[in-house]
Amino acid sequence: MIPSVYISLLCILQSILTVSGKGMLFPRDSESRESKLLDGIWHFRADMSSNRTQGFAEKWWTKSLSESGPVIDMPVPSSYNDVTEEKALRDFVGWVWYDRQFFVSSSWSRDKRVVLRIDSASYYSIVWVNGEQVMEHNGGHLPFETDVLSHLRFDRANRVTVAVNNTLTPTTLPPGRITYQTDRRRYPKGYFTQDYTMDFFNYAGIHRHVTLYTTPTTYIDDITILTDIAGNKGQVAYTIHLGGESKSNGKDVTISAVDATGKVVASSSGLSNTLVIDNPILWWPHGMNETVGYQYTLQVNCSDDIYRQPFGIRTVKVTENQFFINNKPFYCKGVGMHEDSDIRGKGLDYALITKDFNMLRWLGVNCFRTSHYPYAEEMMSMADQQGVAIIDESPGVGIKYKDNMGPESIKHHKEVMSEMIRRDKNRPSVIMWSVANEPASDLPIAETYFKAVIDHTRDEDPAKRPVTFITNVMFRKEKAIQFVDVVCFNRYNAWYSDPGHLEVIGLKLNWEMQGIRSKRRRPIIITEYGAGAVSGLHREPSFTYTEEYQVELLLEHHKAFDKARQEFLIGELVWNFADFMTVEGSRRVMGNRKGILNRQRQPKPAAFTIRDRYHAIATGHDTSLLYKPKRPLGCSPHMYSSPHFSVAPQH
Ligand code: GCB
């Protein structure tokens, strides 16, 4: 029997996707552009019919949702899963429907494009304006948009309807499958499960802003900025792509580079050229220079349109043993993260991301990975501004089976990489692309798959950043690290393997890193290591899941890292920044507890361990002084844990 939820998804996939312009510039107001957020409380209904197709059969988009049946309030942006008391909605699989009304000023009707943009909806979306379909998009975590001017009414209310399907199939990213149980003696009628191998809750809904914005009819569609440093000069090569009716050869395009004080430091004209900035202030991650996260603005004026694109001047280079930013060796003191919090799930929240960045700074983090999908642009901008380097990861997580690596999957994965690069290519914080997390890169088919996706990523990125994927396959069986620029690997020694045996960590890590090096002579980053700890759980001697064990396990890793960073280790990212929700299961205690912060972003003792270490590395202190765990862990950790106290006295 073919699963009915599949059918409802796949039928829709046959229809034609909306092709948007070449660019995906972040909506920014200017003298020629205005925007209006459609965030707020929308009407919402999950299609609970057995095959989830009632909404299509009854054409719910043709009138307001409240007319076609009962609705509930739903915040946008937010995941829908945790905002009600309904288990059926928390664990829902299939189509959900959103709608709301909005008005547009009649001043928007003249000589303009009016673009409707959704920054992220997970995972498959169809959008109607006033009952007419305007776009479809396959995949979460990335923006999609289209010009909706011809569908708008300027004399009365408009309606936008969005249907979103969170079903994961073998060819979606992340992949998954629906398993039906048809034995009526053991399972009730209609029983099915959405199975997936990724270790985070499959939150769904409209996760980021919905925006309407205007541009002139001839508009700046895309800007690409490439920077280089030659002596005391910063070179800024730009290319502008105009959209709309323009037959312009670019003569009317003027460009200025403006510094942070508003002073024009270089200017030019034409669609493509190179600006030279004397004695530029470079973009640096924090800890490498006094000026951190410095950005200029490229102001682009074409006949009708004005757009201001921030950029940083910096270079990135990888050698056999090192990673250089602006020709200085970079060591990643990092965390793996998630977009995840109480109630809102994966929904964008300004208070949360501000707190997260404050905690990153407090920890001394200079780098994170967008595990396991592209993060909100608001977060990426904070990283640009605060000098936090990013390994920008695609939603290629859970690629575990042969049927996740066929031609259809390759095609989709390439499209996703193109969309990611289109969105993030100008960001100085993005120092590397990660195309996937822990795929089955030991399968023979992985060689073809990852060659194709990695080559494509290299081709698509105009800045030619390094490309990687994150492996957890033992080096002897690894088929795809041959293609990466930096080897990134995740390993849970003394946790999933040899639990409780901290004494194996150093040996095993060293053995494995040497093995990797014999196969691929590239710098290594440990992109995940860690242990689960339930806040407040103690045991002496330590025991798995206690705060003591988490600290001891991290410290044991740090000894091994300190040896390897003399040679080829260029980064360590503890798993995870904060506890996060996962699927229900016997291996998880209300989610994954490997956070060094709990889900509410309060520190466990391990946070102080990491903080001490990262600050000690940054200030050049002897990190071996930190190897011995401190006791007691439970009380006022800040009393003994500030870098001033625990690191060798500063002279
Ligand atoms: C991993 C995965 C990550 C999991 C983590 C764990 O290797 O990359 O998504 O959450 O292990 O805690 O098991």
Side-chain angles (χ1 to χ4, degrees), residues 198-200 338 369 372 397 437-438 472 490 492 496 528 575 580 587-588 592 594:
M198 70 206 195
D199 180 37
F200 56 92
H338 266 296
R369 173 166 65 118
H372 298 306
V397 52
N437 179 67
E438 296 190 354
N472 68 339
N490 298 344
Y492 288 92
Y496 292 125
E528 286 181 30
W575 190 256
F580 57 91
R587 290 201 320 164
R588 294 288 176 256
N592 187 313
K594 294 193 189 70

mmCIF file of all heavy atoms in Angstrom, residues 198-200 338 369 372 397 437-438 472 490 492 496 528 575 580 587-588 592 594, ligand 1:
data_model
loop_
_atom_site.group_PDB
_atom_site.id
_atom_site.type_symbol
_atom_site.label_atom_id
_atom_site.label_comp_id
_atom_site.label_asym_id
_atom_site.label_seq_id
_atom_site.Cartn_x
_atom_site.Cartn_y
_atom_site.Cartn_z
ATOM 1 N N MET A 198 17.542 12.086 11.944
ATOM 2 C CA MET A 198 18.157 13.270 12.546
ATOM 3 C C MET A 198 17.739 13.349 14.013
ATOM 4 O O MET A 198 16.640 12.924 14.366
ATOM 5 C CB MET A 198 17.720 14.529 11.795
ATOM 6 C CG MET A 198 16.265 14.866 12.009
ATOM 7 S SD MET A 198 15.593 15.786 10.639
ATOM 8 C CE MET A 198 14.082 16.417 11.377
ATOM 9 N N ASP A 199 18.614 13.950 14.820
ATOM 10 C CA ASP A 199 18.395 13.941 16.268
ATOM 11 C C ASP A 199 17.857 15.292 16.740
ATOM 12 O O ASP A 199 18.411 15.907 17.641
ATOM 13 C CB ASP A 199 19.731 13.597 16.941
ATOM 14 C CG ASP A 199 19.627 13.546 18.457
ATOM 15 O OD1 ASP A 199 18.591 13.080 18.966
ATOM 16 O OD2 ASP A 199 20.582 13.993 19.126
ATOM 17 N N PHE A 200 16.835 15.796 16.074
ATOM 18 C CA PHE A 200 16.168 16.990 16.608
ATOM 19 C C PHE A 200 14.709 16.926 16.199
ATOM 20 O O PHE A 200 14.362 16.310 15.188
ATOM 21 C CB PHE A 200 16.837 18.291 16.136
ATOM 22 C CG PHE A 200 16.967 18.480 14.654
ATOM 23 C CD1 PHE A 200 16.006 19.134 13.925
ATOM 24 C CD2 PHE A 200 18.088 17.994 13.981
ATOM 25 C CE1 PHE A 200 16.147 19.311 12.559
ATOM 26 C CE2 PHE A 200 18.242 18.168 12.612
ATOM 27 C CZ PHE A 200 17.254 18.827 11.899
ATOM 28 N N HIS A 338 21.541 24.749 17.813
ATOM 29 C CA HIS A 338 20.257 24.491 17.159
ATOM 30 C C HIS A 338 19.428 25.749 17.273
ATOM 31 O O HIS A 338 19.582 26.514 18.240
ATOM 32 C CB HIS A 338 19.500 23.344 17.827
ATOM 33 C CG HIS A 338 19.729 22.019 17.185
ATOM 34 N ND1 HIS A 338 19.340 21.756 15.886
ATOM 35 C CD2 HIS A 338 20.314 20.886 17.645
ATOM 36 C CE1 HIS A 338 19.677 20.500 15.589
ATOM 37 N NE2 HIS A 338 20.278 19.956 16.624
ATOM 38 N N ARG A 369 28.745 26.296 14.129
ATOM 39 C CA ARG A 369 28.240 25.621 12.929
ATOM 40 C C ARG A 369 26.728 25.739 12.958
ATOM 41 O O ARG A 369 26.115 25.545 14.011
ATOM 42 C CB ARG A 369 28.659 24.149 12.952
ATOM 43 C CG ARG A 369 28.040 23.318 11.850
ATOM 44 C CD ARG A 369 28.731 21.969 11.703
ATOM 45 N NE ARG A 369 28.570 21.127 12.867
ATOM 46 C CZ ARG A 369 27.961 19.946 12.861
ATOM 47 N NH1 ARG A 369 27.461 19.464 11.739
ATOM 48 N NH2 ARG A 369 27.861 19.231 13.956
ATOM 49 N N HIS A 372 21.686 21.899 12.132
ATOM 50 C CA HIS A 372 21.969 21.146 10.936
ATOM 51 C C HIS A 372 21.144 21.688 9.766
ATOM 52 O O HIS A 372 20.542 20.921 9.014
ATOM 53 C CB HIS A 372 21.642 19.680 11.135
ATOM 54 C CG HIS A 372 22.418 18.985 12.199
ATOM 55 N ND1 HIS A 372 23.802 18.996 12.236
ATOM 56 C CD2 HIS A 372 22.062 18.260 13.251
ATOM 57 C CE1 HIS A 372 24.216 18.288 13.283
ATOM 58 N NE2 HIS A 372 23.179 17.842 13.917
ATOM 59 N N VAL A 397 20.977 16.529 6.620
ATOM 60 C CA VAL A 397 21.220 15.749 7.832
ATOM 61 C C VAL A 397 20.303 14.532 7.804
ATOM 62 O O VAL A 397 19.146 14.633 7.415
ATOM 63 C CB VAL A 397 20.974 16.608 9.103
ATOM 64 C CG1 VAL A 397 19.608 17.283 9.095
ATOM 65 C CG2 VAL A 397 21.132 15.797 10.376
ATOM 66 N N ASN A 437 25.573 16.653 7.387
ATOM 67 C CA ASN A 437 26.028 16.160 8.685
ATOM 68 C C ASN A 437 25.848 14.647 8.750
ATOM 69 O O ASN A 437 24.730 14.134 8.550
ATOM 70 C CB ASN A 437 25.211 16.795 9.814
ATOM 71 C CG ASN A 437 25.657 16.280 11.182
ATOM 72 O OD1 ASN A 437 26.771 16.560 11.619
ATOM 73 N ND2 ASN A 437 24.807 15.506 11.845
ATOM 74 N N GLU A 438 26.937 13.960 9.035
ATOM 75 C CA GLU A 438 26.937 12.525 9.294
ATOM 76 C C GLU A 438 26.117 11.703 8.309
ATOM 77 O O GLU A 438 25.235 10.930 8.701
ATOM 78 C CB GLU A 438 26.444 12.251 10.717
ATOM 79 C CG GLU A 438 27.358 12.819 11.774
ATOM 80 C CD GLU A 438 27.010 12.348 13.191
ATOM 81 O OE1 GLU A 438 25.981 11.667 13.358
ATOM 82 O OE2 GLU A 438 27.771 12.664 14.114
ATOM 83 N N ASN A 472 30.996 11.007 10.538
ATOM 84 C CA ASN A 472 31.203 10.224 11.760
ATOM 85 C C ASN A 472 31.586 8.792 11.401
ATOM 86 O O ASN A 472 31.548 7.901 12.247
ATOM 87 C CB ASN A 472 29.960 10.233 12.663
ATOM 88 C CG ASN A 472 28.802 9.472 12.058
ATOM 89 O OD1 ASN A 472 28.765 9.263 10.849
ATOM 90 N ND2 ASN A 472 27.853 9.076 12.889
ATOM 91 N N ASN A 490 32.760 14.123 13.902
ATOM 92 C CA ASN A 490 32.044 14.057 15.177
ATOM 93 C C ASN A 490 32.390 12.744 15.849
ATOM 94 O O ASN A 490 32.367 11.695 15.207
ATOM 95 C CB ASN A 490 30.527 14.044 14.951
ATOM 96 C CG ASN A 490 30.024 15.312 14.269
ATOM 97 O OD1 ASN A 490 30.733 16.317 14.226
ATOM 98 N ND2 ASN A 490 28.811 15.266 13.766
ATOM 99 N N TYR A 492 31.919 10.571 19.710
ATOM 100 C CA TYR A 492 31.408 10.510 21.087
ATOM 101 C C TYR A 492 32.107 9.419 21.894
ATOM 102 O O TYR A 492 31.463 8.521 22.424
ATOM 103 C CB TYR A 492 29.885 10.332 21.062
ATOM 104 C CG TYR A 492 29.206 11.611 20.628
ATOM 105 C CD1 TYR A 492 28.912 11.856 19.292
ATOM 106 C CD2 TYR A 492 28.927 12.600 21.554
ATOM 107 C CE1 TYR A 492 28.337 13.053 18.896
ATOM 108 C CE2 TYR A 492 28.354 13.802 21.174
ATOM 109 C CZ TYR A 492 28.059 14.025 19.844
ATOM 110 O OH TYR A 492 27.501 15.222 19.466
ATOM 111 N N TYR A 496 28.811 7.321 23.501
ATOM 112 C CA TYR A 496 28.123 6.239 22.777
ATOM 113 C C TYR A 496 29.008 4.994 22.718
ATOM 114 O O TYR A 496 28.514 3.877 22.719
ATOM 115 C CB TYR A 496 27.721 6.679 21.367
ATOM 116 C CG TYR A 496 26.640 7.728 21.366
ATOM 117 C CD1 TYR A 496 26.811 8.939 20.711
ATOM 118 C CD2 TYR A 496 25.441 7.511 22.032
ATOM 119 C CE1 TYR A 496 25.821 9.903 20.713
ATOM 120 C CE2 TYR A 496 24.436 8.477 22.046
ATOM 121 C CZ TYR A 496 24.638 9.665 21.386
ATOM 122 O OH TYR A 496 23.665 10.628 21.398
ATOM 123 N N GLU A 528 31.919 17.800 16.734
ATOM 124 C CA GLU A 528 31.058 17.407 17.862
ATOM 125 C C GLU A 528 31.813 16.473 18.785
ATOM 126 O O GLU A 528 32.478 15.537 18.337
ATOM 127 C CB GLU A 528 29.810 16.636 17.384
ATOM 128 C CG GLU A 528 28.760 17.483 16.724
ATOM 129 C CD GLU A 528 27.535 16.682 16.282
ATOM 130 O OE1 GLU A 528 27.211 15.665 16.930
ATOM 131 O OE2 GLU A 528 26.919 17.071 15.276
ATOM 132 N N TRP A 575 29.484 19.798 21.586
ATOM 133 C CA TRP A 575 28.067 19.527 21.321
ATOM 134 C C TRP A 575 27.355 19.469 22.646
ATOM 135 O O TRP A 575 27.673 18.608 23.447
ATOM 136 C CB TRP A 575 27.909 18.198 20.567
ATOM 137 C CG TRP A 575 26.512 18.008 20.061
ATOM 138 C CD1 TRP A 575 25.555 17.197 20.580
ATOM 139 C CD2 TRP A 575 25.929 18.644 18.910
ATOM 140 N NE1 TRP A 575 24.403 17.292 19.840
ATOM 141 C CE2 TRP A 575 24.608 18.177 18.812
ATOM 142 C CE3 TRP A 575 26.392 19.575 17.977
ATOM 143 C CZ2 TRP A 575 23.735 18.594 17.811
ATOM 144 C CZ3 TRP A 575 25.523 19.988 16.979
ATOM 145 C CH2 TRP A 575 24.223 19.495 16.900
ATOM 146 N N PHE A 580 18.294 20.647 23.667
ATOM 147 C CA PHE A 580 17.298 20.892 22.609
ATOM 148 C C PHE A 580 16.345 19.709 22.494
ATOM 149 O O PHE A 580 16.655 18.600 22.903
ATOM 150 C CB PHE A 580 17.992 21.172 21.266
ATOM 151 C CG PHE A 580 18.922 20.068 20.813
ATOM 152 C CD1 PHE A 580 18.476 19.036 20.009
ATOM 153 C CD2 PHE A 580 20.256 20.059 21.200
ATOM 154 C CE1 PHE A 580 19.327 18.019 19.592
ATOM 155 C CE2 PHE A 580 21.117 19.046 20.799
ATOM 156 C CZ PHE A 580 20.660 18.031 19.999
ATOM 157 N N ARG A 587 16.277 6.862 24.277
ATOM 158 C CA ARG A 587 17.641 7.369 24.507
ATOM 159 C C ARG A 587 17.653 8.857 24.861
ATOM 160 O O ARG A 587 18.703 9.456 24.995
ATOM 161 C CB ARG A 587 18.489 7.153 23.266
ATOM 162 C CG ARG A 587 18.809 5.691 23.000
ATOM 163 C CD ARG A 587 20.017 5.546 22.108
ATOM 164 N NE ARG A 587 20.045 6.557 21.028
ATOM 165 C CZ ARG A 587 21.128 6.820 20.323
ATOM 166 N NH1 ARG A 587 22.252 6.201 20.563
ATOM 167 N NH2 ARG A 587 21.081 7.711 19.347
ATOM 168 N N ARG A 588 16.488 9.478 24.932
ATOM 169 C CA ARG A 588 16.445 10.916 25.177
ATOM 170 C C ARG A 588 15.531 11.238 26.349
ATOM 171 O O ARG A 588 14.443 10.679 26.460
ATOM 172 C CB ARG A 588 15.917 11.634 23.916
ATOM 173 C CG ARG A 588 16.856 11.516 22.713
ATOM 174 C CD ARG A 588 18.093 12.365 22.893
ATOM 175 N NE ARG A 588 19.059 12.232 21.822
ATOM 176 C CZ ARG A 588 20.203 11.539 21.905
ATOM 177 N NH1 ARG A 588 20.511 10.891 23.008
ATOM 178 N NH2 ARG A 588 21.037 11.504 20.892
ATOM 179 N N ASN A 592 17.576 16.248 23.933
ATOM 180 C CA ASN A 592 19.005 15.960 24.014
ATOM 181 C C ASN A 592 19.616 16.856 25.092
ATOM 182 O O ASN A 592 19.447 18.077 25.058
ATOM 183 C CB ASN A 592 19.639 16.228 22.643
ATOM 184 C CG ASN A 592 21.085 15.798 22.570
ATOM 185 O OD1 ASN A 592 21.877 16.095 23.461
ATOM 186 N ND2 ASN A 592 21.449 15.116 21.498
ATOM 187 N N LYS A 594 22.858 17.274 25.908
ATOM 188 C CA LYS A 594 24.296 17.534 25.807
ATOM 189 C C LYS A 594 24.617 19.019 25.853
ATOM 190 O O LYS A 594 25.775 19.418 25.703
ATOM 191 C CB LYS A 594 24.862 16.910 24.543
ATOM 192 C CG LYS A 594 24.799 15.388 24.568
ATOM 193 C CD LYS A 594 25.618 14.737 23.502
ATOM 194 C CE LYS A 594 25.347 13.254 23.451
ATOM 195 N NZ LYS A 594 23.999 12.921 22.935
HETATM 196 C C1 GCB B 1 25.510 13.473 16.373
HETATM 197 C C2 GCB B 1 24.644 14.336 15.535
HETATM 198 C C3 GCB B 1 23.793 15.293 16.346
HETATM 199 C C4 GCB B 1 23.273 14.592 17.580
HETATM 200 C C5 GCB B 1 24.437 14.112 18.411
HETATM 201 C C6 GCB B 1 24.011 13.358 19.668
HETATM 202 O O1 GCB B 1 26.457 12.925 15.934
HETATM 203 O O2 GCB B 1 25.350 15.039 14.557
HETATM 204 O O3 GCB B 1 22.759 15.768 15.545
HETATM 205 O O4 GCB B 1 22.419 15.404 18.324
HETATM 206 O O5 GCB B 1 25.212 13.250 17.663
HETATM 207 O O6 GCB B 1 23.859 13.979 20.696
HETATM 208 O O7 GCB B 1 23.784 12.164 19.564
#
